[in-house]
Every structure is written in structure tokens, then in C-alpha cells.
């Protein structure tokens, strides 16, 4: 199958450091190539892939210092459109800018929504372009938009990687991600202090969150149990998570997936997570960790986590959250799209026809005289 | 002529409070209707206009609490596209989201760029869609992008309004706009203190600038000469500016136009402005005010401003900066577009042809067998 993967441009694919969506795109792309598909990846020029790479910008925009990504995304999407007839399926990971240009080829497109949908800002577009098929990454993510054109729910997956070793000395709790109010690193710090167990925080600080870091978190770092180690790359994560007693995931927002939970799972490390967003869909309570709703429960769960069977955590990962499973889910949806679009009867009834493609030149070409007030179409009232 | 005006959605047209672009769109629209054109305004539903209003969203997005405008803009642009054949000319004021959908009707479109162009973030789109005609609002604005498809340079204009009265007691300096580092209200405060003349600051504080206001400006407000009166509406501005000795415009960024300078001019009030951005194009040195480059020069200019002939300031406004002049400039460009597009020879040479409109359904419909790997187009290398 000829598949286009269209990545965001914030980070390279895979990202050099932080960047959830681009990592998913990378894992999915590599897995699809591995399965024998003809894959083209539209992404930043510093991406690394076994697929054919179309370099939309020289490098990932965040590390390149570009703050507004709109122009770069529009240019990439125009290139996708130019090459569109070369693909059986175009898989977008860029939210919504593609909707106008691809609405009339929606039968061959799907869009995975990677972000939260509980803010009303984006809702108009899903209503205005109801033909665009959408993939959610959790059932919880869909709640604010139950009536959207959901094609499937596909949970994220990771490359399986080697089985974690059993020789680690595990003597700390881990917090991994972004320093942001909704991620609640303050809760993680509180849990570690009350449990009397060291906490290592590996996290980036976005410019938008600098204030929160400076005023709320930084003052709490000056404690013998708390260590802030900054942003870490993918290659450091496995050891960071694998050597931990447990991952703390004390979120306070509707996290649409929560990749770090399954990254911990892959290393056999259980997670202690707040009951928000996708958490109950990702975690197997009592097997891969514990779902809590208070600091007190979290401190108890830290003790219980020590008794969980880490091989079972890993096994549950292999059953539910590999990239192979994720890619198979997507391929099934791609095939479904193609079967349905091949059955489309090539006759449009006038009333059902989509609006004619915009070509104002037609109006100018068909006229005689000065003709500038003549239009081949009637104006809608 | 049948003209569509496509406004941003941040504010209503005209805005309730602050909002430069939407005010320009309003003045241009009213003037075009006055001149007998058939005008349709795409804008927020709380807009007030003599044109036909297409309500893209219920109310202006800023006061409505919507932070990301992308979805609402895309939905509006889709409606513009649906109605496109009803217009001779479509005039966009929304930066760049319209470029992909309207590139093939660029002969009937123009886009006024209202913002700064010195940040590289937006440059890719002007290179990727070179056929889209652009209007600048100052020559200075163009400097970072000299090679873009500039159709014209059209300075802003205001409704002429009644001649300012001569009875005002003028005993303060005015600062009007946004509290932001690049607007340098701190310089205005310094000038007022050194000149020993009261300063009234009428300005809004955007969330992005709250920190700057709290930490840099607010501590300086506790001075007998300095008065902060917050955000004011259009109806209050005339008195606020007309009663002032001079407007202080001590900017520290490449201001693409600087509407407030001509608003002051309309009331016969001179401006003391820093030599940045469009300032030398808008100001007539020694007639409508003074261009300075230091606090010291500004303090001297305040004294000199008292001696300027305010009737001459007003007269220069009437000659150069009315909405009537602005609308006439735009109508000339609209007519130029239509003349050129009517002459387009309706034959495309294969090599010059634009890429075919995307219709992947064609690929699926034309195949036989399972046919899913057949495409009517060759894949570009």
C-alpha cells in the first residue's frame, strides 16, 4: 500500500528530545516500512526514517526557533496535495490545517488527533468538515466531541525493544515529561517527600511554563530527596524509567493518551497515576500500577508498587502496547477506507454534489463584453 | 463591483475596544458601500456594517475567550470559497490561511498584510504561493520580503469626521495602544517626567504582556504626573487625543503602520515618534510632529510641539489619510486585477499548467479490478 505519513514540524521524526506526536509518527512509519508498505514521510529535514522522506523544512521548528508553525505547515500540506495522487492513503498527524484542502479526497485520508479536545477553540472545524475521518487515541479524548466523524480508536504503541534486565538497583521514583501545572510535578514532589524516597525529575520547561517553573517548582527543588535533571533524550529514557521503583503520573488534566505510562510499562516499571483522561484505559489496575485520587493513596501505592511483578508489567506491555499492534490497527483502517472508496458509485446526484471547486477564472473566461458582473453560478442567499 | 471583505475574527468589525485591523476593515467596507459597491463582509456576528454581513462566528473571539483562532478562520474561509463565484474580488485581511484554498483564483484575490514581516516564521508561505497578490501598508513593512508578490502599497485611512474644535484646554501628553515592551510605555513615562507634563496612558494589557505590566510599568504608575486609565473605546479616543498636547509614540519595533499617529493627526494633535518602522512614511517632520531617537530629543520636541499649527496637522490628515483616499486606492487595485484577469488567455500550456486539483476519488473510480495501486498521475520524483 502507498501510504503518506504527514508529521507535525515542531520536532524532527523522531524528535531529538521531547515530542510525543513525532515519536508516534516515527514508530508507526518504521513499522509500516517493516511490514512492506511503500511509505512517504512528510516531516522536517533533520528526520531519520526508512521511508522516503519529503523534507518540508530544514529542521524541527521548535529547536529551530520558529514559534508560529502555520506557514511551514501550509507549505508542507501544499506539497502533500501536489503529490496526493501518488498515495492510496494519506495519514495526517497535524490537527486541522489540512481539512479545507483535502475535504474532497476525504475517502483516502485520515487524521489522528493527538491533542486534547476539551477546549472549544477547535470544535468549529470538526463540525464544518464532517466528512474527514478521525482517529482518537483514547475513548476519553472523544468525550467533548462525541458526534465527530470517528473512524476508530487506536491506542499508541512503542517498539518492543529488549526485555528489561533484572539486575537494576531501584531506589528512586521517576517523573518524566514537561514541567507544567497540569502535569502536577508539585504532587510528585509531595509524594516523594511523604514516602521518604528520592524523586528524579527529567523534564523540559517550555517558555510558556517558565514562570510556573521559577515560582512554583524551583523553590521545591532544594530538598535532599529531590533531583532535577532537565530534558533527556529517548536513549536515556529506558534506563531512567527502568531503574525506577515506579513512575509518578499525577496529572490534573484530561491527558488524551499519556505515552510515558507505556514507556514505563515497557521497562517493567509500574505507574502510579491520577484518575484523569485516558489513565483508566491505559492502566491495568493492580497489574501495571495503581490509579489514585489523593496524595495519601499515592504514598500507599508507592509501597504496593514494590510488590508488583515487573515481568507481568512487561508482559502486559507486549500484549497491548507495541508499535506492531498499533501499525496493524492503522493498516486495518487504511484497508477499510480503500474498500469503501472503491465502492463509491461514480455518479453524483445534483443535490448531493459537493460545491464546485473554486475557479473564479471560469467566471472571467466565459464572459463577453466587459462581463465582469457575470458569474456562471447563482449567488446563494 | 461585487467585493468580499474577509476580516480577522479576533474582534468584531468595528471592534468594541482595541483592534487595528478590524477597524481598517470597517472603515474600508463602509466607504466602499458609500461609493456604491456591492460589498459582503465576512466577520464575527457582533459586527456592525452597511454591507451584507456573513457571520462567521457568534462574536469576536478575543472577548469570547477563544485563544486559537485557526479553526474558526478555516470554517469562515470555507464559506468564502463556497460563495466565491458571487464576487468579482475577494479582499483578505487574515494573513495566510487562505493561500492554499484560493491560489487558483489568485487573479481575483488580494491580501493586505497588516502585521510585521520581520519574523522568519511566515516567510515560507509567501515563497510557496508566489501568485497571491499582496498589499503592504508601508514600504518599511516590505523590507524583510522584497521579492514577494507586492501589488501595491496602500497606507491606512480614517473616516474624516468633524474638524477638531479649538477650545480644548491641552495640558497633558497621551499614550494610546497596548502595554507591551515594543511600544515602550516606559519611554513615554520618562519623557513626561523629564518634561514635567502629565501623561495619560490609555492602553490594554494582553495576557502575554501582563508580566511586563506588573513588573516594569505598574511600579512607575505611582507618580503624580502619570495616570493609567486602561483600555478605551473608539468613541472616547477623539477627546483623549484631541485634548492632548501631543501623542507620544516611542516605539522600539518595526511598526508596520501605526494607526494611532493618524488618529492623533485627525484631531490636529501632533505626534512625537521614534524613527522606527513606518514612522518616517507617515509623519511629516515639523508639520504633523517630530521624529526623534532619544529621550532628550523627545523632551525638546514636546516643547516644540506646542508651537505647531494644529490646523495644518489636521489639513495634512485630510490630504493623506482619509478612508476615502484609502478606499479609492483599493478600488483602483481591484479594477486592475479584473482588467488583467479578463485578459487571461484561456489556454494553458501543459508545462505551465497548475497542478491538477486534488481529486483522489478519480483515481479510485477509474480503476478496474482491485485497482488500488493504479493512479492516473505519475508520481513526481
Amino acid at each position: 500500500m502507498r501510504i503518506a505519513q504527514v508529521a507535525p514540524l515542531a520536532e524532527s521524526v523522531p524528535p531529538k528530545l521531547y515530542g510525543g506526536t513525532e515519536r508516534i509518527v516515527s514508530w508507526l512509519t518504521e513499522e509500516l516500512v517493516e511490514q512492506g508498505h511503500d511509505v512517504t514521510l512528510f516531516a522536517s529535514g533533520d528526520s531519520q526514517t526508512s521511508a522516503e522522506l519529503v523534507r518540508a523544512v530544514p529542521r524541527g521548528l521548535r529547536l529551530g526557533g520558529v514559534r508560529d508553525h502555520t506557514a511551514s505547515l501550509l507549505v508542507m500540506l501544499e506539497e502533500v496535495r501536489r503529490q496526493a495522487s501518488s498515495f492510496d492513503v494519506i495519514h495526517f498527524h497535524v490537527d486541522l490545517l489540512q481539512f479545507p484542502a483535502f475535504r474532497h479526497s476525504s475517502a483516502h485520508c485520515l487524521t489522528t488527533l493527538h491533542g486534547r479536545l476539551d477546549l472549544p477553540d477547535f470544535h468549529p472545524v470538526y463540525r464544518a468538515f464532517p466528512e474527514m475521518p478521525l482517529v482518537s487515541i483514547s475513548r476519553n479524548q472523544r468525550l467533548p466531541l462525541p458526534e465527530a466523524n470517528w473512524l476508530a480508536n487506536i491506542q499508541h504503541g512503542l517498539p518492543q525493544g529488549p526485555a528489561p534486565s533484572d539486575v537494576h538497583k531501584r531506589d528512586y521514583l521517576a517523573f518524566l515529561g514537561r514541567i507544567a501545572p497540569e502535569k502536577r510535578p508539585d504532587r510528585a514532589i509531595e509524594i516523594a517527600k511523604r514516602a521518604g524516597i528520592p524523586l528524579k525529575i527529567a523534564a523540559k520547561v517550555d517558555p510558556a511554563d517558565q514562570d510556573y517553573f521559577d515560582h512554583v517548582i524551583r523553590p521545591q527543588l532544594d530538598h535532599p530527596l529531590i533531583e532535577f535533571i532537565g530534558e533527556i533524550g529517548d536513549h536515556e529514557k529506558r534506563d531512567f524509567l527502568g531503574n525506577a521503583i515506579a513512575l509518578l503520573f499525577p496529572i490534573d488534566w484530561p491527558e488524551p493518551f499519556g505515552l510515558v505510562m507505556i514507556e514505563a510499562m515497557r521497562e517493567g516499571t509500574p505507574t502510579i497515576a491520577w484518575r484523569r483522561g485516558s489513565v483508566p484505559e491505559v492502566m491495568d489496575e493492580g497489574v501495571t500500577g495503581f490509579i489514585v485520587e489523593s496524595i495519601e493513596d499515592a504514598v500507599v501505592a508507592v509501597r504496593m508498587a514494590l510488590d508488583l511483578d515487573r515481568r507481568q508489567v512487561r508482559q502486559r506491555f507486549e500484549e497491548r502496547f507495541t508499535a506492531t499492534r498499533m501499525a496493524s490497527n492503522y493498516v486495518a483502517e487504511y484497508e477499510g477506507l480503500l474498500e469503501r472508496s472503491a465502492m463509491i458509485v461514480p455518479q453524483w446526484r445534483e443535490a448531493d454534489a459537493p460545491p464546485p471547486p473554486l475557479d473564479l477564472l471560469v467566471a472571467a473566461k466565459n464572459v463577453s463584453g466587459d462581463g465582469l458582473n457575470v458569474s456562471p453560478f447563482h449567488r446563494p442567499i
Side-chain angles (χ1 to χ4, degrees), chain A:
Chain A
M1 204 182 300
R2 298 165 310 163
I3 302 165
Q5 294 290 332
V6 184
L9 297 173
E11 315 289 342
S12 61
V13 174
K16 309 284 181 246
L17 297 165
Y18 193 87
T21 301
E22 291 85 351
R23 286 159 71 216
I24 295 296
V25 175
S26 175
W27 295 325
L28 174 59
T29 299
E30 298 311 305
E31 191 67 31
L32 291 171
V33 171
E34 181 73 24
Q35 295 183 10
H37 296 287
D38 175 5
V39 187
T40 301
L41 172 64
F42 293 81
S44 74
D46 53 347
S47 297
Q48 300 283 338
T49 180
S50 323
E52 185 181 331
L53 177 63
V54 177
R55 294 174 170 79
V57 291
R59 69 189 65 81
L61 298 180
R62 180 172 76 97
L63 297 179
V66 175
R67 295 180 65 175
D68 193 316
H69 301 180
T70 311
S72 298
L73 287 167
L74 289 178
V75 173
M76 173 173 70
L77 291 170
E78 190 65 16
E79 181 61 21
V80 176
R81 178 154 76 162
R82 206 179 64 78
Q83 299 192 21
S85 56
S86 317
F87 307 117
D88 300 311
V89 168
I90 303 174
H91 186 171
F92 295 102
H93 301 268
V94 293
D95 293 335
L96 44 79
L97 283 176
Q98 71 283 12
F99 284 11
F102 292 87
R103 76 176 304 171
H104 298 304
S105 49
S106 60
H108 288 255
C109 295
L110 79 172
T111 296
T112 296
L113 295 177
H114 289 263
R116 65 195 293 180
L117 300 176
D118 57 318
L119 303 176
D121 302 21
F122 302 108
H123 293 189
V125 84
Y126 303 115
R127 299 204 180 93
F129 300 89
E131 63 284 84
M132 296 298 283
L134 304 173
V135 174
S136 60
I137 57 176
S138 68
R139 295 283 166 184
N140 185 274
Q141 182 196 29
R142 294 184 181 187
L143 290 181
L145 271 178
E147 76 284 8
N149 184 19
W150 296 113
L151 181 72
N153 182 62
I154 300 183
Q155 293 184 307
H156 288 334
L158 305 178
Q160 183 157 329
S165 79
D166 261 343
V167 297
H168 296 306
K169 167 167 156 282
R170 297 188 181 88
D171 54 7
Y172 65 89
L173 300 168
F175 179 95
L176 177 61
R178 276 186 299 125
I179 295 291
E182 72 270 20
K183 296 281 189 179
R184 295 302 298 265
D186 58 318
R187 278 185 181 158
I189 292 169
E190 182 69 18
I191 293 164
K193 287 181 186 170
R194 293 221 209 161
I197 299 177
L199 172 69
K200 294 190 186 189
I201 301 174
K204 75 162 176 171
V205 182
D206 279 339
D209 297 313
Q210 191 65 48
D211 237 42
Y212 171 74
F213 180 70
D214 290 343
H215 294 109
V216 180
I217 299 305
R218 201 197 294 274
Q220 302 188 52
L221 298 180
D222 187 23
H223 185 284
L225 286 176
I226 312 299
E227 185 184 0
F228 181 75
I229 60 177
E231 192 169 358
I232 62 174
D234 245 21
H235 57 292
E236 299 161 284
K237 276 191 191 168
R238 302 194 70 150
D239 280 349
F240 179 75
L241 290 169
N243 293 343
I245 295 167
L247 170 74
L248 299 184
F249 196 61
I251 53 163
D252 199 9
W253 73 299
E255 178 92 44
F257 186 78
L259 204 49
V260 68
M261 289 187 283
I262 66 172
E263 291 182 296
M265 229 179 266
R266 177 172 59 176
E267 310 311 321
T269 301
T271 297
I272 293 157
W274 251 248
R275 185 180 300 283
R276 290 299 307 275
S278 64
V279 164
E281 298 172 54
V282 174
M283 301 274 293
D284 290 307
E285 172 83 28
V287 179
T288 57
F290 298 98
I291 304 175
V292 300
E293 299 184 65
S294 70
I295 299 281
E296 292 69 32
D297 289 353
V299 173
V300 173
V302 166
R303 301 289 164 198
M304 291 163 66
L306 287 163
D307 296 330
L308 288 180
D309 180 350
R310 295 177 71 104
R311 280 163 307 185
Q312 261 211 320
V313 177
R314 165 75 186 189
Q315 193 184 329
R316 200 55 64 97
F317 162 76
E318 290 177 11
E319 290 160 9
R320 294 188 58 194
F321 293 113
T322 63
T324 308
R325 187 274 308 152
M326 172 174 67
S328 301
N329 289 164
Y330 276 114
V331 168
E333 297 305 325
Y334 302 159
E335 286 169 347
L337 278 181
L338 294 189
E339 280 165 26
R340 283 189 292 279
S341 66
M343 290 189 300
I344 289 176
V345 180
Q347 290 170 331
W348 293 98
R349 282 183 300 136
E350 187 68 20
D352 293 343
L358 181 75
D359 190 356
L360 283 170
L361 287 180
V362 173
K365 279 186 252 161
N366 289 352
V367 297
S368 53
D370 81 5
L372 297 173
N373 294 311
V374 181
S375 160
F377 306 112
H378 288 295
R379 179 171 195 175
I381 307 294

Coordinates of all heavy atoms in Angstrom, one line a residue, chain A residues 146-191:
Chain A
P146 N -18.5 13.9 20.9 CA -19.0 12.6 20.6 C -19.5 12.4 19.1 O -19.5 11.3 18.6 CB -20.1 12.3 21.6 CG -20.5 13.7 22.1 CD -19.3 14.6 21.9
E147 N -20.0 13.5 18.6 CA -20.6 13.5 17.3 C -19.7 13.6 16.1 O -20.1 13.6 14.9 CB -21.8 14.5 17.2 CG -21.3 15.9 17.0 CD -20.6 16.6 18.2 OE1 -20.4 16.0 19.3 OE2 -20.4 17.8 18.1
A148 N -18.4 13.8 16.4 CA -17.4 13.9 15.3 C -17.4 12.6 14.5 O -17.9 11.6 14.9 CB -16.1 14.3 15.8
N149 N -16.7 12.7 13.3 CA -16.6 11.5 12.4 C -15.5 10.6 12.8 O -14.5 10.4 12.1 CB -16.4 12.1 11.0 CG -16.4 11.0 9.9 OD1 -17.0 9.9 10.2 ND2 -15.9 11.2 8.8
W150 N -15.7 9.9 13.9 CA -14.7 9.0 14.5 C -14.7 7.7 13.6 O -15.7 7.0 13.6 CB -15.0 8.7 15.9 CG -14.9 9.9 16.8 CD1 -15.9 10.5 17.5 CD2 -13.7 10.6 17.1 NE1 -15.5 11.5 18.2 CE2 -14.1 11.7 18.0 CE3 -12.4 10.5 16.7 CZ2 -13.2 12.6 18.4 CZ3 -11.5 11.4 17.2 CH2 -11.9 12.5 18.1
L151 N -13.6 7.4 13.1 CA -13.4 6.2 12.3 C -12.9 5.0 13.2 O -13.3 3.9 13.0 CB -12.3 6.4 11.2 CG -12.0 5.3 10.3 CD1 -13.1 5.1 9.3 CD2 -10.7 5.6 9.5
A152 N -12.1 5.4 14.2 CA -11.5 4.3 15.0 C -10.9 4.9 16.3 O -10.6 6.1 16.3 CB -10.5 3.5 14.3
N153 N -10.7 4.1 17.3 CA -9.9 4.5 18.4 C -8.6 3.6 18.4 O -8.8 2.3 18.5 CB -10.7 4.3 19.7 CG -9.9 4.7 20.9 OD1 -9.6 5.9 21.1 ND2 -9.6 3.7 21.8
I154 N -7.5 4.2 18.3 CA -6.3 3.4 18.2 C -5.3 3.9 19.3 O -4.8 5.0 19.2 CB -5.6 3.4 16.8 CG1 -6.6 2.9 15.8 CG2 -4.3 2.6 16.8 CD1 -6.1 2.8 14.3
Q155 N -5.0 3.0 20.2 CA -4.1 3.4 21.3 C -2.6 3.4 20.7 O -2.3 2.7 19.8 CB -4.2 2.4 22.4 CG -5.5 2.5 23.2 CD -5.6 1.6 24.4 OE1 -5.3 0.4 24.3 NE2 -5.9 2.2 25.5
H156 N -1.8 4.2 21.3 CA -0.4 4.3 20.9 C 0.3 3.0 21.2 O -0.1 2.2 22.0 CB 0.3 5.5 21.6 CG -0.1 6.8 21.1 ND1 -0.7 7.1 19.8 CD2 -0.1 8.0 21.7 CE1 -0.9 8.4 19.7 NE2 -0.6 9.0 20.8
G157 N 1.4 2.8 20.5 CA 2.3 1.7 20.8 C 3.7 2.1 20.6 O 4.1 3.1 20.0
L158 N 4.6 1.3 21.2 CA 6.1 1.5 21.2 C 6.8 0.4 20.5 O 6.3 -0.8 20.6 CB 6.6 1.6 22.6 CG 6.0 2.6 23.6 CD1 6.8 2.4 24.9 CD2 6.2 4.0 23.0
P159 N 8.0 0.6 20.0 CA 8.8 -0.5 19.6 C 9.1 -1.4 20.8 O 9.3 -0.9 21.9 CB 10.1 0.1 19.1 CG 9.8 1.5 18.8 CD 8.6 1.9 19.7
Q160 N 9.0 -2.7 20.6 CA 9.0 -3.6 21.7 C 10.4 -3.6 22.5 O 10.4 -3.5 23.7 CB 8.8 -5.1 21.2 CG 8.7 -6.1 22.3 CD 7.9 -7.3 21.9 OE1 7.0 -7.2 21.1 NE2 8.3 -8.5 22.5
G161 N 11.5 -3.5 21.7 CA 12.8 -3.4 22.4 C 13.1 -4.7 23.2 O 12.3 -5.5 23.4
P162 N 14.3 -4.7 23.7 CA 14.8 -5.9 24.5 C 14.0 -5.9 25.9 O 13.6 -4.9 26.4 CB 16.3 -5.6 24.7 CG 16.4 -4.1 24.6 CD 15.4 -3.7 23.6
A163 N 13.9 -7.1 26.4 CA 13.3 -7.3 27.7 C 14.1 -6.6 28.7 O 15.4 -6.6 28.6 CB 13.1 -8.8 28.0
P164 N 13.5 -5.9 29.7 CA 14.3 -5.3 30.7 C 15.1 -6.3 31.5 O 14.7 -7.4 31.7 CB 13.3 -4.6 31.5 CG 12.0 -5.2 31.2 CD 12.1 -5.8 29.9
S165 N 16.3 -5.8 32.0 CA 17.1 -6.7 32.7 C 16.6 -6.8 34.2 O 15.8 -5.9 34.6 CB 18.6 -6.3 32.7 OG 18.8 -5.2 33.6
D166 N 17.0 -7.7 34.9 CA 16.5 -7.9 36.3 C 17.5 -7.4 37.4 O 17.3 -7.5 38.5 CB 16.2 -9.4 36.6 CG 14.7 -9.6 36.4 OD1 14.0 -8.6 36.4 OD2 14.4 -10.8 36.2
V167 N 18.7 -6.9 36.9 CA 19.7 -6.6 37.9 C 19.7 -5.1 38.4 O 20.6 -4.8 39.1 CB 21.1 -6.9 37.2 CG1 21.2 -8.3 36.9 CG2 21.3 -6.0 36.0
H168 N 18.7 -4.3 38.0 CA 18.7 -2.9 38.4 C 18.6 -2.8 39.9 O 17.8 -3.5 40.5 CB 17.5 -2.2 37.7 CG 17.7 -2.1 36.2 ND1 18.8 -1.6 35.6 CD2 16.8 -2.5 35.3 CE1 18.6 -1.7 34.3 NE2 17.4 -2.2 34.0
K169 N 19.3 -1.8 40.4 CA 19.1 -1.4 41.8 C 18.1 -0.3 41.7 O 18.3 0.8 41.1 CB 20.4 -0.9 42.4 CG 20.3 -0.1 43.7 CD 21.7 0.0 44.3 CE 21.7 1.2 45.2 NZ 21.9 2.5 44.5
R170 N 16.9 -0.5 42.2 CA 15.8 0.5 42.1 C 15.6 1.2 43.4 O 15.2 0.6 44.4 CB 14.6 -0.2 41.6 CG 14.7 -0.8 40.3 CD 13.4 -1.3 39.7 NE 13.8 -1.9 38.4 CZ 14.1 -3.2 38.2 NH1 14.2 -4.0 39.2 NH2 14.4 -3.6 37.0
D171 N 16.0 2.5 43.4 CA 15.9 3.2 44.7 C 15.3 4.7 44.5 O 15.5 5.5 45.4 CB 17.3 3.3 45.3 CG 18.3 3.9 44.4 OD1 17.9 4.4 43.3 OD2 19.5 3.9 44.7
Y172 N 14.6 4.9 43.4 CA 14.0 6.2 43.3 C 12.7 6.2 42.5 O 12.4 5.2 41.9 CB 15.0 7.2 42.6 CG 15.3 6.8 41.1 CD1 14.5 7.3 40.1 CD2 16.4 6.0 40.8 CE1 14.8 6.9 38.8 CE2 16.6 5.6 39.5 CZ 15.8 6.1 38.5 OH 16.1 5.8 37.2
L173 N 11.9 7.2 42.7 CA 10.7 7.4 41.9 C 11.0 8.3 40.7 O 11.9 9.2 40.8 CB 9.6 8.1 42.7 CG 9.2 7.3 44.0 CD1 8.3 8.1 44.9 CD2 8.4 6.0 43.5
A174 N 10.3 8.2 39.6 CA 10.6 8.9 38.4 C 9.4 9.8 38.0 O 8.3 9.4 38.1 CB 10.9 8.0 37.2
F175 N 9.8 11.1 37.6 CA 8.8 11.9 36.9 C 9.4 12.3 35.6 O 10.5 12.8 35.5 CB 8.5 13.2 37.8 CG 7.6 14.2 37.2 CD1 6.2 14.1 37.5 CD2 8.0 15.1 36.2 CE1 5.3 15.0 37.0 CE2 7.1 16.0 35.6 CZ 5.7 15.9 36.0
L176 N 8.6 12.1 34.5 CA 9.2 12.3 33.2 C 8.2 13.1 32.3 O 7.0 12.7 32.2 CB 9.5 11.0 32.5 CG 10.0 10.9 31.1 CD1 11.4 11.7 31.0 CD2 10.2 9.5 30.6
G177 N 8.6 14.1 31.7 CA 7.7 14.9 30.8 C 8.0 16.3 30.7 O 9.1 16.8 30.5
R178 N 6.9 17.1 30.9 CA 7.0 18.6 30.9 C 6.8 19.1 32.3 O 5.9 18.6 33.0 CB 6.0 19.2 30.0 CG 6.3 19.2 28.5 CD 5.3 20.0 27.7 NE 4.0 19.4 27.8 CZ 2.9 20.1 28.2 NH1 2.9 21.3 28.6 NH2 1.7 19.4 28.3
I179 N 7.5 20.2 32.6 CA 7.1 20.9 33.8 C 6.0 21.8 33.5 O 6.1 22.8 32.7 CB 8.3 21.7 34.3 CG1 9.5 20.9 34.8 CG2 7.9 22.7 35.5 CD1 9.2 20.0 36.0
A180 N 4.8 21.5 33.9 CA 3.6 22.3 33.6 C 2.6 22.1 34.7 O 2.5 21.0 35.3 CB 3.0 21.9 32.2
P181 N 1.7 23.1 34.9 CA 0.8 23.0 36.0 C -0.1 21.7 35.9 O -0.4 21.1 36.9 CB -0.1 24.3 35.9 CG 0.8 25.2 35.2 CD 1.7 24.4 34.3
E182 N -0.5 21.4 34.7 CA -1.4 20.3 34.5 C -0.8 18.9 34.7 O -1.4 17.9 34.8 CB -2.2 20.4 33.2 CG -1.3 20.1 31.9 CD -0.6 21.3 31.4 OE1 -0.5 22.3 32.1 OE2 -0.2 21.3 30.2
K183 N 0.6 18.9 34.7 CA 1.3 17.7 34.9 C 1.6 17.4 36.4 O 2.0 16.4 36.7 CB 2.6 17.7 34.1 CG 2.5 17.8 32.6 CD 2.2 16.4 32.0 CE 2.2 16.5 30.4 NZ 1.9 15.2 29.8
R184 N 1.4 18.5 37.2 CA 1.5 18.4 38.6 C 2.8 17.8 39.1 O 2.8 16.9 40.0 CB 0.3 17.7 39.2 CG -1.1 18.4 39.0 CD -1.2 19.8 39.5 NE -1.0 19.8 41.0 CZ -2.0 19.9 41.8 NH1 -3.3 19.8 41.4 NH2 -1.8 20.0 43.1
P185 N 3.9 18.3 38.7 CA 5.2 17.9 39.3 C 5.2 18.2 40.8 O 5.9 17.5 41.6 CB 6.3 18.7 38.6 CG 5.6 19.9 38.0 CD 4.2 19.4 37.7
D186 N 4.4 19.2 41.3 CA 4.4 19.5 42.7 C 3.8 18.3 43.5 O 4.2 18.0 44.6 CB 3.5 20.8 42.9 CG 2.1 20.6 42.4 OD1 1.9 20.1 41.3 OD2 1.2 21.1 43.1
R187 N 2.8 17.6 42.9 CA 2.3 16.4 43.6 C 3.4 15.4 43.7 O 3.5 14.7 44.7 CB 1.1 15.9 42.8 CG -0.2 16.6 43.0 CD -1.3 15.8 42.3 NE -2.6 16.4 42.5 CZ -3.7 16.3 41.6 NH1 -3.5 15.5 40.6 NH2 -4.8 16.9 41.9
A188 N 4.1 15.2 42.6 CA 5.2 14.2 42.6 C 6.2 14.4 43.7 O 6.6 13.5 44.4 CB 5.9 14.1 41.2
I189 N 6.5 15.7 43.9 CA 7.5 16.1 44.9 C 6.9 15.8 46.3 O 7.6 15.2 47.2 CB 7.8 17.6 44.8 CG1 8.7 17.8 43.5 CG2 8.6 18.1 46.0 CD1 8.8 19.3 43.1
E190 N 5.6 16.1 46.5 CA 5.0 15.9 47.8 C 4.9 14.4 48.1 O 5.2 14.0 49.2 CB 3.6 16.5 47.7 CG 2.7 16.4 48.9 CD 3.2 17.3 50.1 OE1 4.0 18.2 49.8 OE2 2.9 17.0 51.2
I191 N 4.6 13.6 47.1 CA 4.5 12.1 47.3 C 5.9 11.6 47.7 O 6.0 10.8 48.7 CB 4.1 11.4 46.0 CG1 2.6 11.8 45.7 CG2 4.2 9.9 46.1 CD1 2.2 11.5 44.2

